[in-house]
């Protein structure tokens, strides 16, 4: 069973918006933590945002590079996590991945995830 499926990527111009969605299988969603990462060609994978899925708190957590422009949210009834990306910049261009981890994990955000989707491409032109 495919655990995580991303959708919503595309090509936009700088300043525009995109909304990514991650549909998670129960086995992944119930682990309690879903995050978004991105990786541009020749660069390391970068953690972007995260949200707990099994806690009452719906607070989103963000990398400094996207805070104030991106918003992560969840829909528990659909087991989906979305990433609303506003005021996109060319440097946001990358393959975006959804990932699942345990809500009980600790440490740096980038190390807390063990299941990955196939990714969806985001391209932002100047």
């Amino acid at each position: 069973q495919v655990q995580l499926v991303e959708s919503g990527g595309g090509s936009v111009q700088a300043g525009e918006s995109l909304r990514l969605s991650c549909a998670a299988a129960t086995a992944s969603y119930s682990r309690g933590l879903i995050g978004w990462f991105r990786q541009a060609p020749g660069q390391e994978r970068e953690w972007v945002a995260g949200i707990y899925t099994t806690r009452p708190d719906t607070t989103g957590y963000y990398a400094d590079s996207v805070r104030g422009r991106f918003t992560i949210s969840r829909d528990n009834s659909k087991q989906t996590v979305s990433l609303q990306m506003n005021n996109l910049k060319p440097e946001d261009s990358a393959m975006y991945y959804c990932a699942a981890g345990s809500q009980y994990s600790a440490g740096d955000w980038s190390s807390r995830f063990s299941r990955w989707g196939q990714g969806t491409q985001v391209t932002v032109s100047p």
Side-chain angles (χ1 to χ4, degrees), residues 10-21:
S11 296
V12 298
Q13 294 188 322
E16 295 184 343
S17 299
L18 278 174
R19 186 177 181 88
L20 306 184
S21 291

Side-chain angles (χ1 to χ4, degrees), residues 4-6 22-23 34-37 81 96-100 115-117 119:
L4 299 160
V5 179
E6 304 94 335
C22 173
I34 298 288
W36 285 96
F37 287 74
V81 172
Y96 282 71
Y97 298 91
C98 176
R115 297 181 181 181
W116 300 86

Side-chain angles (χ1 to χ4, degrees), residues 9-88:
S11 296
V12 298
Q13 294 188 322
E16 295 184 343
S17 299
L18 278 174
R19 186 177 181 88
L20 306 184
S21 291
C22 173
T26 299
S28 289
Y29 201 82
S30 63
R31 298 187 75 217
L33 181 62
I34 298 288
W36 285 96
F37 287 74
R38 66 187 181 186
Q39 187 168 22
Q43 297 186 20
E44 292 187 356
R45 186 172 60 198
E46 175 190 18
W47 171 73
V48 174
I51 190 168
Y52 291 101
T53 58
T54 54
R55 299 181 181 180
D57 184 10
T58 59
T59 300
Y61 299 85
Y62 303 96
D64 290 342
S65 58
V66 305
R67 186 175 291 111
R69 300 188 297 122
F70 290 13
T71 303
I72 190 170
S73 60
R74 73 187 195 201
D75 184 336
N76 286 355
S77 67
K78 299 179 180 179
Q79 296 187 168
T80 60
V81 172
S82 297
L83 185 68
Q84 177 67 41
M85 306 186 296
N86 296 331
N87 190 23
L88 283 161

